[in-house]
Amino acid sequence: MTVWPLTKLAPAATPAAAGAAPAPAAPPTAESLREAWWAADHAIEPRPYWREVRRRFFTNRAGVVALAGLGLIVVTSVLAPLLAPYDPLVGVATDRLMPPFSGSHVLGTDEQGRDLLTRLLYGGQLSLLAGFVPTVIATVIGTAIGTWSGYKRGASGTVLMRGMDMLYAFPAILLAIAIGASLGGGLLNSILAVSVVFIPPIARVAESATRQVVVQEYMEAARLSGAGSLRLLRTQVLPNVLNQILVYASGLVGVAMLIAAGLSFLGLGSQPPTPEWGYMLNSMRDTLYSAPVNTMLPGLMIFLTSVAFNTASDALRESMDMRLT
Amino acid sequence: MFSLIVRRTAMAVPILLGVTVIVFLLMTVLPGDPAQAFLSEDASPEEIAAVRASLGLDDPLPLQYVHWLGNTLTGDLGWSPYRRRDVSDLLAQAWLNTALLAAASAVFGLVGGVALGTYAALRRGRLADRVVSFFSLTGLSVPSFFLAIVMLIVFSATLGWLPSAGPRGWDDGPPSSFPAPPWVMADGLAGALATLAITGPGARGEIVETYGADFVQTLRAKGLSGGRVLVHVGKSAISPVLTTSGLQIGNLLGGAVLIETIFRWPGIGSLVYSAISARDLLVVQGATLVIALSFVVINLLVDVGQATIDPRLRRAVA
Amino acid sequence: MTAAATSTETPPVLLQLNDVSKQFAARVGLRKAAVSAVDGVSLTLRRGDTLGVVGESGCGKSTLARLVVGLVQCDSGDVVFDGRTYRAGRRRTRRDLRDMQMVFQDPHSALNPRATIGEAIAFPLRTQGVSRAETEARVDEVLARVGLHGNYRSHYPHQLSGGQRQRVNIARALALKPKLVVLDESVSALDKSVQAQILDLLLELQVEYGLSYLFISHDLNVVEYMSDRVAVMYLGHVVEECSAEELYRAPLHPYSQVLLESIPKLDPRERGGPSALTDGEMPSPLDPPSGCRFRTRCPFAMDVCATTRPPLVETRPGHLVACHLHPVPESATAGDPIPGEQ
């Protein structure tokens, strides 16, 4: 016979539950009552986790606005060749530093007479790339290092994490600058530098999350089924640490953008004349007394994108923060 | 207490050594021939080889490292062909200026952050709290170099509070005088924003959480005044705030590089900036080393200071 | 069914622990120290029986459970399971693990929060290379058997109650059709009413699948209800082992007596005076007392207790105790500490 939980049995004895039985004509059996009760209890299919996260995210107004803003920035940057009114690289020497709303230059021109709106649209491509790609690279590598060290705890893990500690001993921007300075300028080198800078913090988050997972009893249960290390990592550890890592990494995209912009501000990022927000900010630095608004525009773009990333990441963290156990 | 200091210092030593290894490797393994910097663009291969030999660049890497570490420990960080001075001389002077800037930022950031956080915690859920949390979110997203430019536009170009020339930067020759107080203020503020943005909400969260603790209920039940309760809460909440602050000081030092460039502040940052464009790698190497070492030492101090304040930690380590 | 096992015919031995010990490395300040979690434990479990292990938290029960299934490797001694001998340090092969499974204590942490119930139960089957069709059939079977509707397969653990989760844990352990199931405090985290249901379910399953249980708990009532034989553990030592019925009727070791006294009684006439324990705290396992480990709390402690560890000896037929108050009877031979061993 089947053993039913007490909660399912108890209502069967009450008149209210008896009245709700499907067939009032025939006297309800205990079994039919249990079935009816069960059906009522589970009429609503449990919402899958990610659908619930999405629902919660979209109830967060700040998060939705930030996400929409990000979407706008990404789309306009990608579509820059279609949207931009001018050539991003060619300027008119006589039209230098025109203020915004002068003639057909909606946002004015830069120090070489190039249309600022055009340059900002194109510049978004590299700036977003320089923030996004290193975060993805660092997340993949950092997760691998962190979960392995947290799971293995042996010599290999210790060596890896002590190495991470040493990289962590450098202030982030400084390490990026030092790597960038040794590699030389260029977008690829900047991506590489920022990736290296972000591997240690992600590895740390991954490691501590993994350590919390490996002491759980479900890890022991899985080991008891004879599963090997890689299978355990893939099926038990990764699904349980990925959330934490992704939330953390999403918060890093904004920081990565800032550091990448800082690098190109120092001349270590994308090389002129290709537009990129950090480099544009630096190249117009000398004109801040004569054309303050124009100078501020690239910085404003970096700021807005970064705010959008951080707000969206905060909203994501809040909507993923559900009691799961 | 003494044994704690010894233990923590001993733990920092491998990190310090690791830092030197990384700094060394950054400049040797990665592309870019330091010998090139000593010569003109069209130097012959023979000339380059001679310089390489004299710099010991042809030795095996571990030997080069030991050699370099020995020199570094005796204070010899090499010679800057671009500035025609010893790197350690340049850094000693620049470090003081950067330390001044970082200290100003730390004071603004930490004191301001804790004050704002406490205020927000006491006004929890009200308008002031929301304003503070909004500013901390945006504060984190402002690139410090952008803020510095905005400050120049506002305070120098528009309001005229700051002299437009600023202190003399490295490219104007060696700085003769100490930076003027208004610049310390402006620089410090620009560098402090990120710290403010992290310390503020951190302090707020700690204080709010501590107010929920059982011992606070007991204090209230005993009839203590709000101010005296706050003192107890502050004591218990300060330790975690210190931890995050310690990490922020590293960011202050790192961020200084960018801010100094804009304010033409004669510190390590502007030194590095000019060295990068001149491919003066020994200066970059030395500066990286000095800042990273300062960071490790500051974290050590924060660690020990924290253990001194927090009896729980003291017991855990002792 | 508790009586059935002790009937005329003695079933064969399934699990035997011979002088197993396990120490964990610990650090006290700068010094390295060793915690002796299990020290020289010998136990026997017969096929179809339930061996209860009872003791306070920290006495080494959970380590013992993990030693048996190989989640922890023992330092010395060996584990004989179903004719296979696992000496110190020998790992269980994947094949070996099919025959021994474990039901864990905490229904919250024993299930992967990211796996559905169906996935959780199927996991050991898939790992063991059972075909997909067979896996499906077995998941359905065990789910039904533990009293859970098939629709629960697509649910996540957080959508289930504690009792339901523990049913899933049992189903997962059963899926591989093991011979031995180690139950480590498997009902301790549940409400009393749910506990009773789970215990009855376990008893039913034992008969149906011919399971042997190693039942570990701090709750004497529960152990009595479940077990044929009971071993009492204190600080890594087994201090007494006998049939459940005898332990509750006539405990010999002072510690067992104290444990039994501590069970709350409904009838006030049965309530004794204050506990005979001289010291309420269990000594630190980092620095266990010499000789008999219970002597620091024992009301009958003698000089000899500090110097000599009392051996676990059979003082009456089938009743073993390790106490200087109960010396080896003249008739017993010293070299035969395993009960019922012919």
Side-chain angles (χ1 to χ4, degrees), chain C residues 231-301:
Chain C
V232 181
M233 274 187 86
Y234 184 80
L235 268 180
H237 289 175
V238 172
V239 296
E240 184 160 5
E241 194 210 322
C242 58
S243 74
E245 180 239 0
E246 189 159 328
L247 179 70
Y248 287 83
R249 189 166 42 78
L252 291 179
H253 197 280
Y255 179 60
S256 311
Q257 293 166 354
V258 169
L259 271 186
L260 281 163
E261 272 172 35
S262 67
I263 300 178
K265 309 274 191 320
L266 284 176
D267 186 349
R269 280 165 303 181
E270 278 181 44
R271 286 182 198 157
S275 165
L277 275 190
T278 49
D279 181 3
E281 287 283 312
M282 184 147 69
S284 161
L286 274 170
D287 185 22
S290 62
C292 172
R293 289 192 171 173
F294 185 59
R295 70 178 164 83
T296 51
R297 297 166 81 187
C298 181
F300 311 109

Side-chain angles (χ1 to χ4, degrees), chain A residues 1-8 35 38 41-42 44-49 215-228 231-232 235-237 239-240 243 320 323-325, chain C residues 66 69 71 94 97 100-102 104-106 108-114 123-124 126-128 144-147 149 151-152 154-155 157-159 164-165 167 172 176 193 197 201 204:
Chain A
M1 65 145 255
T2 319
V3 181
W4 289 89
L6 197 62
T7 47
K8 302 285 179 286
E35 284 298 334
W38 198 92
D41 212 14
H42 294 84
I44 308 158
E45 262 290 294
R47 228 190 294 252
Y49 177 72
V215 297
Q216 301 290 317
E217 286 182 343
Y218 61 80
M219 277 300 286
E220 288 192 296
R223 273 171 62 200
L224 207 49
S225 72
R231 192 184 170 93
L232 287 177
T235 59
Q236 313 291 313
V237 176
N240 285 292
N243 265 6
M320 277 164 81
R323 298 266 339 123
L324 275 172
T325 49
Chain C
R66 283 161 175 76
V69 293
L71 281 173
R94 184 171 297 174
L97 288 170
M100 44 180 127
Q101 285 295 304
M102 183 157 162
F104 292 86
Q105 171 177 8
D106 183 3
H108 295 269
S109 105
L111 289 171
N112 181 351
R114 288 265 175 269
F123 183 81
R126 302 297 304 157
T127 310
Q128 291 284 352
R145 199 56 208 83
V146 299
H149 196 284
N151 286 17
Y152 278 115
S154 55
H155 282 55
H158 69 278
Q159 296 160 332
Q164 288 173 322
R165 267 182 264 193
R167 285 171 195 270
R172 174 175 57 189
L176 284 172
S193 58
Q197 297 169 33
L201 172 65
E204 280 175 37

